[in-house]
Amino acid sequence: MDYGPRAFAPALRIPLRMEDLEARWLLTSYTLTPVVPVIDAAMAARLSTVIQRGAALGNQANVFTRAGDSITFSNNFLVPLGMPTAGVDLAGDGSLNDTLAYFRSGQVGTTNYFTHPSAAAVSGYKSADVLGLLPSELAVSKPAFVLIMIGTNDIAAGVTLDTFRQNLTRIVQTALNAGVVPVLSTIPDSKFSAELERLQPSYNQVIEDVSEALQVPLWNYWRALQRLPNSGISADGVHPSVSPAGGGDLTERGLQFGYNVRNLTALQTLDKLRRVLISGQSPDLPSDNQSWAPLTNALAVAAGDTTGFQVEVIDTTTRRVLFRFDPFPGFDGSVRVALADVNHDGVPDLIASVGPGGPPHVKVFDGQTGTLIASFYAFDTGLTTGLSIATGDVNRDGFADIIVCPEANAPAHVKVFNGAGELLDSFLAFASSFTGGGRVASGDVNRDGFADIIVAAGTGGQGHVVVFSGTDLGLLASFFAFGPAFSGTVSLAADDFDGDGLAEVAVAPSSAGYDPHVKVLRPLTEKLVSSFYAYDSGFRGGVQLATTNRNGHSALVTATNTAAATDVRVFESPSNGLLDAFFVYETGFRFGASFGG
C-alpha cells in the first residue's frame, strides 16, 4: 500500500449554519410515559450495579432522600408517610405496607427519611442549586435512592433548555457516581401564567430525554395529575393542592389533590425500586411491556463500553428508546450494530457483532419480531480485535448482505456474508503487511445496481479509502480522505444523500485530536459534495458516522466519539441542514458509541 505524497486540491469549506433547536425539543412523548417508572431487565442490571457500588461506599439500601424546590421541600410531601401513627390510609390496599415499613426503618436520629429535611430540597431552588448541594446531601444521608424533581423555577428564571439539560444530566451523574440511583420526576403544569404554561412541556420533555439517555427511572408525576381538578394545582397556580385531611390522606377523596397523589405515586415508585432492585423480583418487560418493536425508522445504538445492556433502538422520529437488549448475554464489552433487510420482508433487521475483547461473533435478529435468524463467527474465534460491520446487496438478489472487517491489530481482511451467514466473498483491502484493520461501508457508487464495498484503513492507514466493485471486487477508487499527512483513523458512511441515484461517501476523523470535519464526496471522481463541521471546532474527540431514513430521504447521522457526551446530530445532505439533535447516555460518558441505521 502506497502512503507516499500526493497532490490534493484545497478542501471546499461550506459553513454550517446552526438553526435554533428549541422548537425541536417540544416533542411531547413524555405524555405517554407511565406514572410509575418502568424498570426493564437492562435497566435493572445496570442500577443493581450502582447499588452494589454504593453499598461498598456505605450507602444504605433502606434509605432514600429527595432533591428539588419548594414542591419537594414542603412538609406536605413524604413527611406524612413517615409518621408512625395516624395520617396514612392505603384505602384497604396492603400492597404498599411492606415498602412503607422498609423505608421507615431507615433511621436518622430518632426519625426516618420520609421526614428527613434534605439539604438539596429548598424553596426557590433551580437545577444549578440542586447540583451544587446534592453531593453534601448524599454524603450525609448515604441513601440508595434520590427522588429528584426540579425545573419549575428554571422556567420562571429563564434558564435555557440546553442549560437545564446540562444541569440535570450532571445531577444524575453526581448521584450515579456516588452509588445512588436517581429517580427523575416530571414537573406539574404551571397555572401561574400563560407563558410558563406554554414552556412547561418542553422542560418535561428534557426530563424524559435525560432519563432515557442515562437509563434511569422516570416517575411521571405530571401524568398522574392530569385527571385531577385544575390538574392537581392549588389556587396559587404553582404548588400542588392538598387534602384538608393532610397529604397522607390516600383515600379516594384524598386522592383528588395533587400532594396526596404525589405521596401515593412516590410510595409506588419506592415500592418498584425495592421490589426490583433490592428484593430481585422480576423487572418490567421493555418499552411498556413490548419486548420488541418493528425496526422501521429506527437507529440502533451500541455503547462504547458496557452500560448494563449492549444495544438500544431509537425511533428516529420521536427519539424515544423503543427497547434495549443484550445480543450477546454474558459479554460485557462493546458491540457493533447495523440495520438492513436481510430476509427481504420490507423491515430492516438488526445485525450485531462483538467488539474488541470478544470473538468475531455475528448475530442477525428479525426486525419484525426480534427472533434470532442467524448466528455465525466471521473469523477464527481467536480473533478478538472487534469487527467493523456494514450491509449492502452486493449480489443484487434483493437481500442485504453483511460486510465485516477486523477493526485493528489485524490485516484489513474483508468478508461478505448473506443474511444466513453463508460466505459470499473474502479479500484483503490492503496489502497483508498492513495490520491496522479497517472500517467498512457500502453503497452503489457507479449506479450498476450492485452495492460496492468501501473500506477505510485503520490505525496507521492515514485515512486511505478504497472502493471495490460489488460485481467483481475490482478497484473502483482510492483516495486519502484528509490528505496523506493525516495520521488518524476515519469513520465512514455511504448512501445516496442527494437523490441522484449514486451513493456518496461521508468521512470524518474518528480518532481524537482532529477537528469534527465531515466531508461528503463522490468517490469515483473525488468531487466534494459538501464539507462542514458537525460540532464546534473546539471539539476534537472524534466523530462517528451512520445513515438513517428521515422523511423518506437518506440523512447523515454524526455522533461525538470520545471525551464528551454522546451528542447525536442528524443532517440533511448535501445542504448540511440540521434536522435533529439529541444526546444518548450521560454527560461524562467518554467511551463513544457505534450506530446502525
Side-chain angles (χ1 to χ4, degrees), residues 102-395:
Y102 179 79
F103 286 105
R104 278 180 174 177
S105 69
Q107 292 293 303
V108 50
T110 59
T111 184
N112 57 59
Y113 281 86
F114 285 104
T115 59
H116 167 66
S118 169
V122 177
S123 295
Y125 264 23
K126 299 183 290 295
S127 56
D129 302 311
V130 170
L131 179 61
L133 288 179
L134 184 60
S136 59
E137 169 59 26
L138 299 182
V140 169
S141 59
K142 291 291 183 181
F145 309 100
V146 55
L147 306 179
I148 302 165
M149 191 176 82
I150 196 71
T152 300
N153 292 317
D154 289 78
I155 300 173
V159 175
T160 66
L161 284 172
D162 187 56
T163 298
F164 178 63
R165 176 185 297 274
Q166 293 177 29
N167 289 343
L168 192 62
T169 299
R170 291 174 63 193
I171 287 169
V172 172
Q173 188 61 56
T174 296
L176 292 172
N177 289 343
V180 178
V181 173
V183 180
L184 294 181
S185 170
T186 51
I187 58 178
D189 287 328
S190 176
K191 306 291 186 179
F192 187 77
S193 72
E195 179 65 6
L196 294 182
E197 189 168 7
R198 182 185 70 83
L199 293 172
Q200 179 266 356
S202 60
Y203 285 77
N204 263 345
Q205 188 58 50
V206 167
I207 292 169
E208 184 186 57
D209 288 346
V210 172
S211 76
E212 290 279 11
L214 280 64
Q215 304 100 53
V216 298
L218 179 69
W219 164 23
N220 196 359
Y221 178 49
W222 172 89
R223 185 173 181 177
L225 294 175
Q226 296 312 296
R227 62 178 180 80
L228 304 186
N230 201 39
S231 299
I233 303 302
S234 66
D236 68 10
V238 176
H239 298 92
S241 56
V242 62
S243 166
D249 178 10
L250 304 187
T251 63
E252 182 176 353
R253 182 176 180 180
L255 292 176
Q256 296 302 304
F257 297 87
Y259 265 121
N260 302 66
V261 167
R262 191 171 189 208
N263 284 325
L264 175 62
T265 56
L267 192 57
Q268 291 170 328
T269 296
L270 289 170
D271 181 65
K272 174 68 74 69
L273 298 171
R274 180 187 68 83
R275 288 187 293 102
V276 176
L277 301 181
I278 303 299
S279 301
Q281 295 183 24
S282 297
D284 299 305
L285 289 174
S287 301
D288 303 338
N289 296 328
Q290 295 183 28
S291 57
W292 191 271
L295 303 184
T296 306
N297 295 326
L299 180 69
V301 183
D305 80 339
T306 177
T307 56
F309 67 95
Q310 293 169 330
V311 175
E312 68 182 19
V313 178
I314 298 172
D315 185 306
T316 57
T317 302
T318 66
R319 292 187 277 109
R320 283 184 62 84
V321 175
L322 297 175
F323 58 90
R324 304 182 178 101
F325 81 116
D326 294 328
F328 302 101
F331 176 68
D332 61 359
S334 62
V335 302
R336 304 293 182 259
V337 287
L339 293 176
D341 185 7
V342 304
N343 57 5
H344 202 42
D345 65 355
V347 176
D349 306 300
L350 191 144
I351 303 99
S353 65
V354 171
H361 195 180
V362 178
K363 290 184 178 181
V364 183
F365 298 86
D366 183 272
Q368 285 274 18
T369 66
T371 302
L372 182 68
I373 56 179
S375 177
F376 61 94
Y377 288 86
F379 296 90
D380 184 273
T381 56
L383 180 76
T384 59
T385 63
L387 299 179
S388 175
I389 189 168
T391 58
D393 184 4
V394 301
N395 55 4

